[in-house]
């Protein structure tokens, strides 16, 4: 369900005439994780929109007080939610997503709904085969208990340190955990885990769509959750698209927290440079 605040922002964007940029967060984060990014893109002449996943709380404190609201969100449901929001925009937007948000971004692009897309450390889709040990370990916080399929699952600090913040100092890792980490639905991870053996999986991307538009995949060199093997396999599937530019860029020394840690601006500038090549 689109919130009143989001509808108001969409109306302002439509009235303003600027190219919209829709940001899609991933698991264990909230839309507020994009706050610094929106400033960069707005100052560059775009109009930012940071919708939540269905039922997202407004703050980290509220998320911890009511973790149950995150449960029961599937990949298909979230993709449809963002497609509905994008359908309310009068101009086809840029779409930028991180982790499972990067997967959603590619699904949206495959539906022909994005002018340009940037997928940052994107979760794998059906047909992406590599399964590195570090990814399994990062996902084990959820996949280790089948009952988590229907639950909202928080990360302990140690789990967050490994999955997100392995490439920063201990001090920064703890600060990021306190500032950004929230519970997340277990269902998307279970869906991704069996996507390659489930012919009816929702975790599908139309990589060959003639309406996909330019796509950049960004990979953090030290990412445990979505290491290079996964990001590059996604790129190899996407580059078969003959209708649009497909590129991949590795960020040296960066982990899965690359959108929120101390080096976020370099990543934002990399995304902005790509987007600016194809939009006004």
């Amino acid at each position: 369900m689109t919130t009143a605040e989001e509808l108001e922002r969409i109306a302002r964007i439509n009235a303003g005439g600027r190219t919209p940029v829709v940001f899609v967060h991933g698991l264990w984060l909230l839309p507020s994780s994009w706050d610094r990014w929106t400033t960069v893109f707005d100052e560059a002449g775009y109009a930012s929109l940071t919708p939540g996943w269905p039922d997202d709380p407004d703050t980290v404190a509220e998320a911890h007080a009511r973790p149950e609201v995150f449960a029961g969100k599937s990949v298909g449901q979230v993709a449809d939610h963002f497609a509905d929001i994008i359908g309310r925009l009068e101009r086809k937007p840029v779409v930028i997503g991180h982790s499972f948000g990067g997967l959603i971004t590619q699904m949206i692009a495959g539906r022909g709904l994005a002018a340009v897309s940037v997928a940052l450390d994107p979760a794998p889709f059906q047909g992406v085969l590599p399964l590195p040990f570090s990814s399994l370990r990062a996902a084990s916080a959820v996949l280790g208990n089948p009952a988590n399929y229907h639950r909202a699952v928080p990360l302990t600090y140690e789990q967050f340190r490994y999955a997100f913040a392995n490439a920063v100092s201990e001090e920064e890792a703890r600060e990021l955990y306190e500032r950004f980490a929230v519970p997340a639905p277990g269902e998307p991870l279970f869906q991704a885990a069996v996507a390659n053996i489930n012919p009816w999986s929702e975790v599908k991307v139309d990589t060959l769509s003639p309406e996909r538009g330019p796509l950049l995949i960004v990979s953090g060199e030290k990412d445990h959750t979505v290491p290079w093997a996964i990001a590059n396999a996604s790129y190899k599937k996407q580059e078969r698209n003959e209708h649009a530019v497909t590129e991949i860029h590795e960020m040296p020394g960066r982990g899965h927290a690359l959108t929120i840690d101390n080096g976020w601006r370099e990543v934002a500038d990399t995304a902005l440079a790509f987007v600016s090549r194809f939009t006004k």
Side-chain angles (χ1 to χ4, degrees):
M1 179 179 179
T2 307
T3 67
E5 182 179 354
E6 289 166 351
L7 291 172
E8 181 181 349
R9 177 62 178 161
I10 290 168
R12 292 200 303 269
I13 290 173
N14 287 338
R18 293 185 174 190
T19 299
V21 180
V22 177
F23 291 93
V24 189
H25 72 79
L27 300 181
W28 294 294
L29 297 176
L30 289 176
S32 55
S33 63
W34 295 113
D35 284 353
R36 294 173 295 184
W37 284 63
T38 61
T39 299
V40 170
F41 276 79
D42 288 346
E43 290 178 350
Y46 295 91
S48 298
L49 181 64
T50 57
W53 288 29
D55 305 315
D56 267 0
D58 290 331
T59 67
V60 171
E62 186 180 351
H64 288 297
R66 298 194 301 119
E68 68 279 359
V69 302
F70 292 100
K73 307 299 187 297
S74 74
V75 169
Q77 178 185 358
V78 177
D80 289 346
H81 172 71
F82 276 88
D84 177 71
I85 290 172
I86 289 170
R88 299 172 187 269
L89 294 167
E90 293 176 359
R91 296 185 64 177
K92 188 179 288 190
V94 173
V95 183
I96 299 175
H98 171 246
S99 194
F100 266 86
L103 166 62
I104 299 298
T105 294
Q106 292 176 85
M107 294 173 69
I108 292 295
R111 298 183 189 186
L113 301 177
V116 186
S117 302
V118 180
L120 305 152
D121 290 336
F125 52 86
Q126 189 179 71
V128 174
L129 301 179
L131 193 60
F133 172 77
S134 68
S135 296
L136 291 172
R137 179 177 169 184
S140 65
V142 174
L143 300 181
N145 182 352
N148 286 335
Y149 188 99
H150 299 290
R151 293 174 177 168
V153 184
L155 294 179
T156 65
Y157 168 72
E158 290 74 19
Q159 290 166 338
F160 180 85
R161 175 72 161 145
Y162 183 84
F164 272 79
N166 61 295
V168 300
S169 69
E170 182 79 16
E171 180 181 5
E172 182 177 1
R174 290 191 178 278
E175 189 274 331
L176 293 175
Y177 181 70
E178 295 297 329
R179 181 177 178 185
F180 293 109
V182 298
E187 185 171 349
L189 276 164
F190 283 94
Q191 289 182 292
V194 299
N196 287 322
I197 59 173
N198 178 10
W200 301 280
S201 176
E202 296 178 343
V203 188
K204 292 181 179 179
V205 173
D206 184 354
T207 59
L208 302 180
S209 169
E211 304 299 324
R212 193 205 68 189
L215 168 68
L216 172 66
I217 294 176
V218 176
S219 175
E221 178 194 11
K222 295 184 177 181
D223 192 330
H224 282 162
T225 300
V226 186
W228 173 260
I230 292 178
N232 191 50
S234 299
Y235 165 72
K236 292 297 185 183
K237 297 282 288 185
Q238 289 282 11
E239 73 167 345
R240 298 174 188 171
N241 191 308
E242 300 177 351
H243 308 281
V245 171
T246 309
E247 296 180 6
I248 189 167
H249 180 82
E250 186 176 54
M251 304 297 298
R254 308 304 298 282
H256 202 62
L258 81 178
T259 59
I260 57 173
D261 65 21
N262 67 83
W264 70 270
R265 182 60 191 263
E266 181 184 8
V267 186
D269 286 342
T270 298
L272 178 59
F274 182 81
V275 167
S276 298
R277 287 163 49 192
F278 304 101
T279 57
K280 297 181 180 179

